[in-house]
Amino acid sequence: MEKEARLGGADFMRAVACLMVLAHHLVLRMDFNKIPPTLDLTFLLARFGNHGVSVFFVLSGFLLSRPFWLALDRAQPLPSLKIYAMRRAARILPGFWVALTVGFVISFTVYGFPLDGELIGRYVAGFFLMSQWHWRTFFPVQGDGPLWSIPFETTCYVLLPIGFLLLFHAKLRLRSALVCRLLWIGIIAASLLGHWLVVTYLPTDNVGRGWQYGFQGGAKEWMPRYNPIGFFAVFALGVLAAGIQTIIPARRSAICDIIGALAIIMGAWQLPQSIGGPGEGYAWLGIPYQFPLFPLAVAIALCALPQSVFLGRVLDNSLSRYVATVSFGVYIWQDIVLTLMTTLLPWTFGTGSDDVLGGWITSSLVAIVIIFAIGTISYFFLERPVMRWARSREQARRMPSTSDKKAVQRKPLGGR
């Protein structure tokens, strides 16, 4: 996020989501049969770090929708969809395309997968952000599993302004702020209905289903419970949170500190609830990651922390801001690093060692350093330059041309 656009608690939430997902992928490299009994619970909880994906979706909905809510409440025009699209593309596509391409190349050069129509088709579907609609393309490349969520999130980017087009309709925007928020709850309900229809009427068959059949088998097991419509419901909770936060009085209050702390505790409490069940934490309507209580806790925290007196500032410390800044690069590169390590160096993460835990810890620390180094390089040398270029283009579009300036200067007083 740009410095002027920071909201209390947002950097902390992004950093937590990033570290949760990273912990999840590190723990997957550990042999759970060799974990010391005293650490069983710790590793089990870290296993559910995949719930950090839900935090990312809620946070994205929260941040991206605020300009729409503010314009709606101030009776201003709908924010420019061209600028909205340009900003999203500049933020997501460069890093995603590079990681996607690297993952694609090493899938047949290092991992030995055949360079056939199946592999190429998955890559092309991912490149054009269309891989989320079928289990065959769900994971665009081998060896970089987290990339599945980027096309899911871009679907939410498309659905967000569509929802607001309804609220900005001439007849609806005259309604009160409260009614507009209630209408958004209706949009969430519609997305839940859409999810239910997908799960009910578009099931996958059992042929080749399961993680024992690789990424595509895993995708077949995840779908249809993993589908873009259901994830939009998660994203839309963040949008609703932004709608509430923008009408809360701007003054800071200790009550918001209390609410924010309770929401964080509520979210943390949801992780143990997944123990004993599927690692995906399926909950209401089969939506993963303990929906709706876990994302709701994140949404409540995001509502409260910007108006907190103390908590938001403490949580958004320099470490949180650094992790939040490089989080996208860390997210899209972590699985490439971890999979390459286990492929090229089979002895890493304690495999075949007498000290399994010690080997896992050492390998994890080395991986973390490499992943954050790549994430930092990705941000400062790829992501940020493209975002700045997009902002310069955006400002150029807003500035009147030289001929327009001269015309204004020549305009007589009182002229139309």
Side-chain angles (χ1 to χ4, degrees), residues 14 53-66 84 88 92 153 156-157 160 235-236 238-239 242 302:
R14 190 183 299 279
V53 173
S54 181
V55 181
F56 277 126
F57 274 78
V58 175
L59 181 61
S60 291
F62 179 82
L63 295 175
L64 297 181
S65 63
R66 291 187 81 257
Y84 169 79
R88 287 296 85 208
I92 297 296
E153 196 163 344
C156 296
Y157 297 161
L160 172 66
F235 182 92
V239 177
L302 288 171

Side-chain angles (χ1 to χ4, degrees), residues 41 50 95 129 178 219 320 396 414:
L41 181 59
N50 54 356
L129 303 170
L178 177 60
S320 292

Side-chain angles (χ1 to χ4, degrees), residues 62-63 129 142 273 318 321 331:
F62 179 82
L63 295 175
L129 303 170
Q142 296 291 143
Q273 310 312 308
S318 57
R321 289 184 174 179
Y331 184 82

